[in-house]
Amino acid sequence: MADNEMAEIHQRATAAMTAAIQAAGQLAQVLIDARIAQLQRAARASEEQARQIRAQARAAQQADAAVWRPAMRPAWWRTAGTEDIARVWRAASTWQHVDPRAQQARQVVVDQLAKRAGRAAEKPEPTREPDDIEVLSDAVDRAVREATNRSRRPAMSAEAVRDRQERMAAEVRKAWPSGQRADRVLGCEAWGALAYTLDQAQQAGHDVQQLLRGVPSFVDRARTPGAFACRVVQDQLDGRIDLGTVRRDRDKGDVEMTQDGRSGSETSSTAASTEPAARAALGFPVSTQAAVADAVADTDAGKAGQGHGGPAAFRRAAPGQDGPAR
């Protein structure tokens, strides 16, 4: 009797997890479509508005990366519950077509759930690539370049810019001697932004080789490899990954070290990291936690909402966006 009860509990838990994952995947699709529609409307409005919306898309991508990144560590799974896993799946699914790291995070979820179930890992279920996904990918990559262009730069001659790019190109080839990754990054339209970012990091005391080694080997699978590499480097410089090196304070332009070896600007990284999340929330006010919970409840109630446009969570999600999802 006890064995039967345990088997039933395990079956119910598995069903709840499956429902949560499915709901999170559907929510991700809604968010992708809404973001693309928002970007397209902004592009038709004005270049300034398009630039602002691209910056919001980049902030949303950073906020979601902060959700899926902890799940890449085995220790995270020791305490992860259904809701935690669903949040990671939603965050990674929203950007899997834009960021190879999100694809990797989805595979980690699949592997870990398979391990829990005691069976061989399966590939993630195939997902439809959203229409006009290039719009979203281009927006995130352009936001990286635009943010670099807006940063404080001293006027430099063409010769000085060429010298900087040559020095940083040598660093790239040293970090990636195989050639293919280096060639794709150096030939990318975003190479100038990456070269500038690396040069500034080097002047601030960071180890450029360490930064480049932190870029995943699948960088050449990104749509714009130079911009993707720049994103990863910026994540490291923003304190999302502990480098153990000096970081320059962006506002004061100087270096202040704390007793634990971090710069003074890093001590306030927790407060600063809330800004991307807050900006993302403006674009997507529907709580993922509430949406997933409601969708699971709908599923447990016999999927009552599917005949009328899907679960209630997703029917409520659309009005919160800047226009209906396709």
Side-chain angles (χ1 to χ4, degrees):
M1 184 64 178
D3 290 343
N4 290 338
E5 289 179 350
M6 289 302 296
E8 182 180 354
I9 292 173
H10 179 72
Q11 185 176 10
R12 289 167 57 190
T14 300
M17 176 65 73
T18 301
I21 290 292
Q22 290 175 343
Q26 293 174 31
L27 177 58
Q29 189 64 57
V30 170
L31 299 183
I32 292 170
D33 290 341
R35 181 68 73 184
I36 291 173
Q38 184 185 39
L39 286 162
Q40 290 174 325
R41 284 195 302 274
R44 291 193 294 268
S46 68
E47 178 55 32
E48 178 58 30
Q49 185 174 348
R51 187 179 298 109
Q52 292 176 359
I53 299 302
R54 286 195 293 268
Q56 290 180 15
R58 165 64 173 150
Q61 187 263 334
Q62 288 178 298
D64 278 340
V67 172
W68 81 60
R69 190 175 293 113
M72 308 296 284
R73 299 191 296 267
W76 183 86
W77 288 88
R78 287 198 286 269
T79 58
T82 298
E83 183 180 297
D84 301 317
I85 297 169
R87 288 182 67 245
V88 168
W89 188 260
R90 195 281 310 158
S93 297
T94 301
W95 302 99
Q96 63 168 321
H97 305 292
V98 171
D99 192 330
R101 292 173 295 179
Q103 293 179 352
Q104 188 181 46
R106 276 172 51 94
Q107 186 60 53
V108 168
V109 172
V110 171
D111 293 343
Q112 289 292 336
L113 292 182
K115 186 182 298 183
R116 289 186 174 191
R119 61 175 181 270
E122 301 174 358
K123 291 183 178 180
E125 73 278 5
T127 57
R128 173 184 69 83
E129 180 165 301
D131 297 333
D132 301 320
I133 191 64
E134 294 84 0
V135 172
L136 182 57
S137 179
D138 179 66
V140 174
D141 289 342
R142 286 185 65 182
V144 170
R145 299 196 295 272
E146 288 166 354
T148 303
N149 291 335
R150 288 196 305 271
S151 60
R152 296 188 298 271
R153 298 195 194 190
M156 297 182 68
S157 65
E159 183 179 357
V161 171
R162 186 166 54 251
D163 175 70
R164 177 178 65 206
Q165 294 193 2
E166 288 176 355
R167 286 186 292 103
M168 292 302 106
E171 296 283 358
V172 168
R173 294 195 182 282
K174 181 180 177 182
W176 304 329
S178 60
Q180 181 175 348
R181 275 185 291 168
D183 289 343
R184 286 216 61 199
V185 169
L186 295 178
C188 178
E189 58 184 326
W191 161 239
L194 175 59
Y196 173 78
T197 301
L198 291 173
D199 182 58
Q200 291 296 295
Q202 188 176 66
Q203 292 184 39
H206 291 288
D207 183 342
V208 170
Q209 289 297 302
Q210 184 177 358
L211 289 169
L212 290 170
R213 284 193 295 270
V215 177
S217 59
F218 46 68
V219 58
D220 56 338
R221 296 211 314 259
R223 292 176 185 269
T224 312
F228 173 67
C230 197
R231 277 191 250 163
V232 179
V233 169
Q234 289 177 356
D235 283 349
Q236 296 177 76
L237 294 173
D238 287 342
R240 295 180 177 87
I241 302 174
D242 184 11
L243 296 175
T245 57
V246 177
R247 178 185 176 194
R248 184 178 296 278
D249 187 290
R250 293 185 174 181
D251 294 326
K252 298 180 181 179
D254 56 6
V255 177
E256 299 175 1
M257 300 302 295
T258 61
Q259 291 182 351
D260 63 358
R262 296 180 301 167
S263 69
S265 57
E266 284 180 301
T267 60
S268 60
S269 61
T270 300
S273 65
T274 62
E275 183 180 353
R279 292 172 64 187
L282 293 175
F284 301 126
V286 177
S287 165
T288 300
Q289 175 180 341
V292 171
D294 288 348
V296 172
D298 281 346
T299 301
D300 291 343
K303 301 181 181 178
Q306 286 187 355
H308 304 281
F314 305 118
R315 293 197 301 274
R316 285 199 301 273
Q321 313 301 330
D322 294 325
R326 294 188 306 279

